[in-house]
Amino acid sequence: MNSTPEAAYTHLRRTQPNLFNTPPGDGAISIVRGPLAEGRVVHHDQWWTLLQDPVVFPDGQHGHYLRMIPSQPELGTAVLPLISGKVVLIEHFRHATRTWHWEIPRGGGTAGLSEKDNAAKELEEELGATATELVELGTLHPDTGILAQPVALFAARINEVGEVARGEAIRRARTVMFAEAEEMAGSDAITDAFTITALFRARRAGLAQ
């Protein structure tokens, strides 16, 4: 990125203008344009870029809004593993919440890989499993309040589970009936948005047994 937060922001506006579009019509939050816009790149690493956008609210008030964009243009993926119709969940420790979560494998976009290839890679890395079939389940915006890019959802048929990625704070895998996974989502045993949405989409796609 450029040497100052303001220069980095200006570079992004010039090279990726689609990130700064405002849809036509009334009622949207607009991003201020011009040399006095005071936009900044607050943080940047290989995974995430945090922007502070100068904005105008629908009532005319000016302010700033934070949002995160991925540093790679490729979409992240989340993949629901299925063995004979049963759901495979991983127990993953998450730093942000400082606790363990039952969820499905997922990861950020990888340069040079398609969304399907990235989903297959995440399965192999986190679950030690190989997909025999990948089914597209659409996209998900996991947090529209701050995350700019959607994530591609998949279901994957697999034959077996291998070694989980303990180095990524995954301590075990668990195979449950599809209905039990839905019950876990309904009772707060699963709170991960990717997993809950993938279960919902997979049932609508006829993959539940």
Side-chain angles (χ1 to χ4, degrees), residues 1-23:
M1 299 299 286
N2 292 58
S3 57
T4 69
E6 292 78 14
Y9 187 87
T10 299
H11 176 75
L12 273 178
R13 293 198 71 151
R14 184 172 64 252
T15 58
Q16 300 187 55
N18 58 300
L19 293 174
F20 302 89
N21 290 336
T22 300

Side-chain angles (χ1 to χ4, degrees), residues 6 9 13 32 34-41 52-54 63-64:
E6 292 78 14
Y9 187 87
R13 293 198 71 151
V32 178
L36 301 179
E38 297 181 348
R40 303 173 67 240
V41 172
Q52 184 184 64
D53 294 305
H64 291 88

Side-chain angles (χ1 to χ4, degrees), residues 77-83 88-90 103-107 115-135 154-165 168 170:
T77 55
V79 54
L80 177 73
L82 300 171
I83 295 181
V88 181
L89 300 170
I90 55 176
E103 58 185 47
I104 59 177
R106 71 172 188 263
E115 292 160 16
K116 275 193 172 183
D117 289 341
N118 199 54
K121 179 181 74 71
E122 293 301 328
L123 266 181
E124 293 174 0
E125 290 180 352
E126 296 193 359
L127 198 58
T130 300
T132 60
E133 181 186 8
L134 281 163
V135 180
F154 293 88
R157 300 187 196 277
I158 63 176
N159 292 326
E160 59 183 1
V161 174
E163 289 291 324
V164 299
E168 295 187 25
I170 300 171

Side-chain angles (χ1 to χ4, degrees), residues 102 185 208:
W102 286 110

Side-chain angles (χ1 to χ4, degrees), residues 90-202:
I90 55 176
E91 192 174 28
H92 202 158
F93 186 85
R94 291 296 183 180
H95 170 69
T97 60
R98 302 303 301 162
T99 192
W100 294 92
H101 295 272
W102 286 110
E103 58 185 47
I104 59 177
R106 71 172 188 263
T110 302
L113 291 185
S114 68
E115 292 160 16
K116 275 193 172 183
D117 289 341
N118 199 54
K121 179 181 74 71
E122 293 301 328
L123 266 181
E124 293 174 0
E125 290 180 352
E126 296 193 359
L127 198 58
T130 300
T132 60
E133 181 186 8
L134 281 163
V135 180
E136 295 180 4
L137 297 178
T139 57
L140 163 71
H141 282 95
D143 186 345
T144 56
I146 193 166
L147 298 178
Q149 193 180 62
V151 169
L153 297 179
F154 293 88
R157 300 187 196 277
I158 63 176
N159 292 326
E160 59 183 1
V161 174
E163 289 291 324
V164 299
R166 298 188 184 278
E168 295 187 25
I170 300 171
R171 66 180 175 187
R172 58 175 169 154
R174 175 183 178 187
T175 301
V176 300
M177 299 297 292
F178 202 100
E180 183 179 350
E182 291 175 312
E183 289 173 4
M184 292 173 68
S187 65
D188 281 355
I190 296 175
T191 58
D192 174 60
F194 300 93
T195 306
I196 294 170
T197 305
L199 288 168
F200 170 76
R201 297 266 183 91

